[in-house]
Every structure is written in structure tokens, then in C-alpha cells.
């Protein structure tokens, strides 16, 4: 009988231990879920801060490039206005320069053309010179 009572107490203890273990585990599971959720929120918060930082740097870079472009455009406009004012003050010597260059280029071209026309090219069509040098008898003898 003692054996039967001890086995029954053992079975009851196992059943009670099983339910107590499940209850404790569910409490810890809820705590773990809350901890995991808190960690996910922290990670998302860090990623959002990093994204905001990168976006802010990109916007600052774009603004600096826009400012540089704006200043370059203003300088270009200023140069255009200055060149219009200076054109009225400085005379244009295009006609004189064209006449001078035309006279100088013609004399050099004439000198070059005289040198070329003084020497005649070799006449390769003549039977005794150039590529066609050779006897016609040899070429006919080899054909049969």
C-alpha cells in the first residue's frame, strides 16, 4: 500500500509540476515577447535616426551644389554683360586681318605649288620602267 500511495503522490506531483511549469513559462513568454518587441522598437528607432541623418546630409549636399551653380550662373551673366559693353569700346579689325591673311596665304601656296609642278611623277605605264618592267616573252612562255 505504501508503494501505491507513493506512486499516486508522485503522479499528482508531476501533474501539478507540469501545470505550474506551463504557467511560469507563459509568464516568461509574455515577458520575452515584451522584451523582443522593445528591442525591435529600439532597432527601428536607430535605423530611422540613421536614415534622417543620411537624408539631412544629402539635402545639405544638394543645397551646396545649387548654391555653387547659382553663383556660376551669376558670374556667367556678369561676363556676358561685360563683353557686350567692351565690344562697343573696342573696334573690330576683321576686314584688315582677313585681307592681310589672304595676301600672305596666297604667296605661300604659290611657292608650294611651284615646287610640286617642277617635278613630274614617274611614268609607270611605259613598258621599260616601273612596275611593268620586264620582257613580255617570259610571261607568255610561262602560261602554257
Amino acid at each position: 500500500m505504501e508503494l501505491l500511495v507513493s506512486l499516486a503522490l508522485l503522479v499528482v506531483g508531476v501533474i501539478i509540476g507540469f501545470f505550474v511549469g506551463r504557467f511560469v513559462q507563459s509568464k516568461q513568454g509574455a515577458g520575452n515577447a515584451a522584451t523582443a518587441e522593445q528591442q525591435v522598437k529600439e532597432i527601428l528607432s536607430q535605423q530611422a535616426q540613421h536614415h534622417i541623418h543620411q537624408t539631412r546630409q544629402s539635402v545639405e549636399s544638394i543645397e551646396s551644389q545649387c548654391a555653387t551653380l547659382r553663383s556660376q550662373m551669376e558670374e556667367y551673366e556678369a561676363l556676358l554683360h561685360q563683353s557686350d559693353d567692351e565690344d562697343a569700346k573696342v573696334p573690330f579689325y576683321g576686314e584688315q586681318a582677313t585681307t592681310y591673311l589672304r595676301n600672305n596665304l596666297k604667296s605661300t601656296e604659290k611657292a608650294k605649288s611651284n615646287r610640286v609642278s617642277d617635278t613630274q611623277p614617274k611614268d609607270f605605264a611605259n613598258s621599260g620602267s616601273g612596275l611593268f618592267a620586264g620582257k613580255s616573252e617570259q610571261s607568255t612562255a610561262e602560261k602554257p
Side-chain angles (χ1 to χ4, degrees), residues 55-108:
T55 306
R56 190 166 285 141
Q57 283 182 342
S58 298
V59 167
E60 289 173 359
S61 172
I62 291 170
E63 286 175 349
S64 68
Q65 289 176 354
C66 287
T68 303
L69 181 61
R70 187 175 294 116
S71 67
Q72 289 175 352
M73 285 179 54
E74 290 171 357
E75 289 175 5
Y76 181 64
E77 287 177 351
L79 286 174
L80 286 177
H81 292 298
Q82 286 177 357
S83 66
D84 291 339
D85 297 337
E86 290 176 3
D87 286 343
K89 295 177 185 175
V90 177
F92 180 68
Y93 296 107
E95 293 177 13
Q96 292 87 356
T98 305
T99 306
Y100 175 76
L101 290 173
R102 189 178 303 139
N103 290 335
N104 283 342
L105 289 177
K106 284 185 179 179
S107 64
T108 58

Side-chain angles (χ1 to χ4, degrees), residues 19-35:
F19 286 114
V20 169
R22 285 195 87 174
F23 179 73
V24 171
Q25 189 177 17
S26 67
K27 288 279 188 177
Q28 287 180 351
N32 287 342
T35 305

